[in-house]
Each structure stands twice: as structure tokens, then as C-alpha cells.
Amino acid sequence: MNILESEKLLFNPAISEANAIPVVFAFPNQYTIGITSLGYQIVWATLAMRKDLQVSRLFTDFQEYLTKKPELIGFSFSWELDYVNILNILESLDIPIEADQRQQDHPLVFGGGPVLTANPEPFAAFFDVILLGDGEELLDQFIDAYQMVRTADRATQLSHLAKVPGIYVPSLYEVSYESAEGPITAIEPIFPDLPPQIKKQTYRSNILSASTVVTANAAWENIYMVEVVRSCPEMCRFCLASYLTLPFRTASLEFSLIPAITRGLKVTNRLGLLGASVTQHPEFDQLLDYLAQPQYQDVRLSIASVRTNTVTEKLARILATRDTRSLTIAVESGSERIRRVINKKLHNEEIVQAAVNAKAGGLKALKLYGMVGIPQEETADLEATVTLLKSLKKAAPGLRLTFGCSTFVPKAHTPFQWLGVNSEAKTRLNWLGKQLGREGIEVRPESYNWSVIQALISRGDRRLSQLLKLTRAYGDTLGSYKRAFKELRGKLPQLDFYVHENWSTETILPWDHLQGPLPLATLQKHLEEALKSQ
């Protein structure tokens, strides 16, 4: 069975009008990865249900029939290093990779997704239009606005689109620097009728997303995904998933979750409940009761990372009887002091109880996420993490423990955006791995070098675009990035400036003209509170 034949659609695509706008909507990775993205599914379905559009999907290894003259090419951008595939796709379609090289007969290239909403500046040179925030309403507003200037010249199109809230046209904003290697001194619109700040758009509803397609070719075979919550109320100071997507929103059990689950389970028996903090839904217990009904006994249930102090024996038992063997919790550190610094409202006793409950409910394994290099971290805090994992092993013997550990990476629009990566983090990762390995606890460290690259892109400005073009050819290793920095010496700041330096709160940030959910003053206050915590 081919890719299209294996797809079970849960929406009705429109029949395109004669004069429909030809659109290519791409995911810059393989089909199996892209079709497993709920965000990609939702945007594709939203576009495909418009009769004024003719939509074709494009992945790196599969494409639907592509019109020879698309007017719009969109990208769902979820992982930073996929920029290489974006540039490759543009070249394969004979479209200049840089926006300022495109002519009237080239399509407008637009993009959205978490990477671009957080900090689009390293990629600004490659996009004509960037959609900031939730797409539920913004996407239709973008298409409607384009319809109004469809036959106009490119400059008129871009100027018109830039006035729509949430639509960012990078070419219409000028960035000034103290020098080629110096800090930013100003970010200003080039026309007085453009907004000085573009505000991320927020979808406010108790009807959240659910899969629009189920397929055996997804990374999670035949999974039907339901968004239970959006954002997270905990507001850990480093966390992009919380700060960038505020406010915390919950799907109505009666009007969103149950109808969506009922619809999905007609075509598959695999259900995924998604959200940064699923178990903090106020009606989560009732949702569990609903899924515990006899007619759903053959449903395979998966739940995204859950808040540690909401892991009950009941939750573990239902998951265990629904073909789930493990649960994932984020503890960040075994140190109570460090958890206070990052505003992680969690105590060691609650973590131990979660492990006890997981085992008592019949789960076989518990995965814990942690970090090293967290601001204010000391050796004693790392030792506390080892002590905590040892206590879990003692409290829940036979429960397989896995500790996934990454390096703290500063993210835009969070209180820790001004802080750099701790240069000792690599040594700390290795130390932690050795200590826990001796206790028979499996450690899965995320590459320190990848964390450095991630931090570079997370805090990068427009000058990085020239570097990204070079690393595209050199490869995606840290050595390739260092080689590119060496080649561009004198044309942009050095790697340490972006990655390791702590920036003053007076610094003009590369994304200062892009308004997130919280004002800058609030983020500064949260940073001050974190650094005073003990």
C-alpha cells in the first residue's frame, strides 16, 4: 500500500475552485516524521479545506503532484537543523534561497512553527513571510490578506501582509549594529505605517487540536493524537514550552476531548494524549475514567511527559493495561535548591512517591529528564541528583530507571534568555553518567555539542544566516560551525558571544521587536527572583 492509500483522513478536503491559489506546504524532513507532527497535520487540513486553495504536500522523501507555478510555499519548522532541508527544497524548486534575490515570478515563501515563533532571526534572510504563534486563526487571516493583493507587485504584497497582526516580514525591518562584530543598536520598521513590534498570536478556545490523518507510515504507527492542554502553568524559568505558549489552556472534556477521542478511535486503536502538562488538566481524572470503560480495553494509550506529583497508582494502572510500559517525568535536578532557582515546584518526596506509584500500578520503567549547567548549579547539586536516583532505585526495586540528561540552553522569551551555556556542562554530563552508571541506572545524555549549536541558533541574530549557508555545506557538527566562524571572522561576533556569554538585561535582543506572551519587565523580574533563590 502506498503512502496516500494508507492515509485515513478525518476531515473533508475542499474541491478547489478554477482560480484557486496553488500552494505547496512542506515539512523539511521525511514523511514519517512530518506526518507525525500534529502542528503540520492541522495546518495542512486548514489549508486543504479552503476551496480557494490548491494544496500539495512536500517532504524530503515524498511529494504530491506539484503545480509548476506555486504562488505560496510554506514550511512547518519544528527542529532547528532542518533549515538545511528548507534550503535544499527551495533550490530543488528553482527558488533563490535568499528572499532579497527573489523576483515577481517567484512564490512567496512563508514559515511557521516553534522554531520561527521563538526566534526567527537566524533564518530571516530565507523567508518572505513568517507567521508568529498559533495558526488556528492566523492562517486564514494570512490567506485572506494575500487574496486581497494576489495580483499586486511583490513589494505591495509584502507591505500589505506586514500589517496583519502576527505576520512578520523580515525584509521590512532593519537591524543596526554597533559594528560588524558588535551588539545590536536598533531594530526598526523601514516604513512608518508598520508596527514597531509584531505580536505573537494566541488561540483562545477550549476546543484544541486532534489528528486530521491517521497512517501506518507515521513514526508512531497509526496513532491518533489529541491535544489535552496547551502551554504549562508551572513556568519553569528555562522552559520555552511554557513561556512562549502562555496562557495555559485546557480542552473541554465534553466538547473537545470526548468528541475527538470518539472520532479517532473509529479508525485506529492507538491514542496519544499530548500537551506539556497533560495530567494538570482539571478534568484529567474524569478523562481517565472515560478511557477505562470496557469498550476501550483494546486501546493502546500513550501520554506525553506528565507532572511528577500527579503520577498516581490509578494513572499507572490504566496505562499499564493499555499497553504502556513506561512513564516519563521531568525532574530537572535532584537538588531542591536548584529546583527553587528554576521555579520547579517539586519535592524529592513527591518524586520518590511517583516511582512507587508507577511500580504499584504495573508499569515496568520510569524515564526521568534532567539537566546540567543550570544557572547557580554547584557540585553539591549534581551529587544530590545521584542521591535522588539511588533513593528511587531503593524505593521501587525492579522498576527500570532511565535518566535522560541535557545541558541547559537559553531560549528566547524566557527569563533565562540572558544567560549563557555553562562551559563546564560537558564535564558535568560525563561525571553524572559515570556516577549513575555505577549504580546500574541507564543514562542517556544529549550531546553537549548539539546543545551548543542549539544555543547558537536560539540566541542568534540575522548575521548567522551567512554562517548557516556555510555549515549547510560543511555538515552539522560543532566543528563545522567553528570552521564557518573562523572563515567569517570580522563579519559577525564569535561563537562565545552567542553561546556562553551572559548578556546584560539592557542588551537589545535579536527578537526584541517580536512580542511574546509576557512583557520584558516580567521576564527580568523572574530572572532576578531566580538568581536570588537559595
Side-chain angles (χ1 to χ4, degrees), residues 35-42 208-212 220 223-232 248-251 256-257 261 270-281 284 287 291 301-306:
I35 207 63
T36 314
S37 163
L38 183 57
Y40 181 84
Q41 288 188 21
I42 296 301
L208 297 182
S209 302
S211 285
T212 60
W220 298 322
I223 194 164
Y224 177 79
M225 297 172 285
V226 178
E227 186 181 22
V228 178
V229 300
R230 190 171 297 185
S231 193
C232 175
F248 181 57
R249 287 147 286 170
T250 61
S256 183
L257 295 177
I261 290 168
R270 188 169 185 188
L271 177 65
L273 302 181
L274 304 189
S277 193
V278 170
T279 51
Q280 285 183 276
H281 189 290
F284 185 75
L287 177 60
L291 292 172
L301 179 63
S302 303
I303 296 185
S305 178
V306 301

Side-chain angles (χ1 to χ4, degrees), residues 330-371:
V331 298
E332 315 312 346
S333 172
S335 164
E336 300 260 5
R337 185 184 74 86
I338 284 298
R339 290 201 297 272
R340 285 194 295 273
V341 169
I342 62 177
N343 197 40
K344 188 84 174 180
K345 296 176 279 290
L346 183 65
H347 297 290
N348 283 356
E349 295 80 7
E350 294 172 308
I351 300 171
V352 172
Q353 191 61 51
V356 171
N357 290 346
K359 184 188 177 188
L363 293 175
K364 303 299 183 186
L366 184 66
K367 300 175 183 176
L368 302 97
Y369 283 136
M371 283 194 298

Side-chain angles (χ1 to χ4, degrees), residues 371-443:
M371 283 194 298
V372 298
I374 296 170
Q376 308 285 79
E377 181 184 77
E378 298 170 358
T379 303
D381 302 307
L382 299 176
E383 293 170 346
T385 298
V386 175
T387 300
L388 172 66
L389 269 292
K390 288 167 68 176
S391 68
L392 294 183
K393 190 175 180 183
K394 183 177 180 181
L399 186 70
R400 192 174 75 253
L401 300 177
T402 303
F403 188 65
C405 195
S406 62
T407 298
F408 160 72
V409 172
K411 297 289 186 177
H413 305 289
T414 70
F416 285 177
Q417 64 187 352
W418 291 281
L419 305 179
V421 172
N422 190 321
S423 56
E424 296 180 13
K426 186 174 184 178
T427 301
R428 295 180 183 184
L429 265 180
N430 292 337
W431 182 86
L432 209 51
K434 288 179 182 177
Q435 297 300 315
L436 293 174
R438 290 172 184 164
E439 302 297 328
I441 296 168
E442 182 184 358
V443 180

Side-chain angles (χ1 to χ4, degrees), residues 313-326:
E313 187 176 334
K314 174 183 177 180
L315 170 63
R317 186 171 58 253
I318 290 174
L319 289 174
T321 57
R322 296 296 186 275
D323 205 33
T324 292
R325 296 184 178 181
S326 67

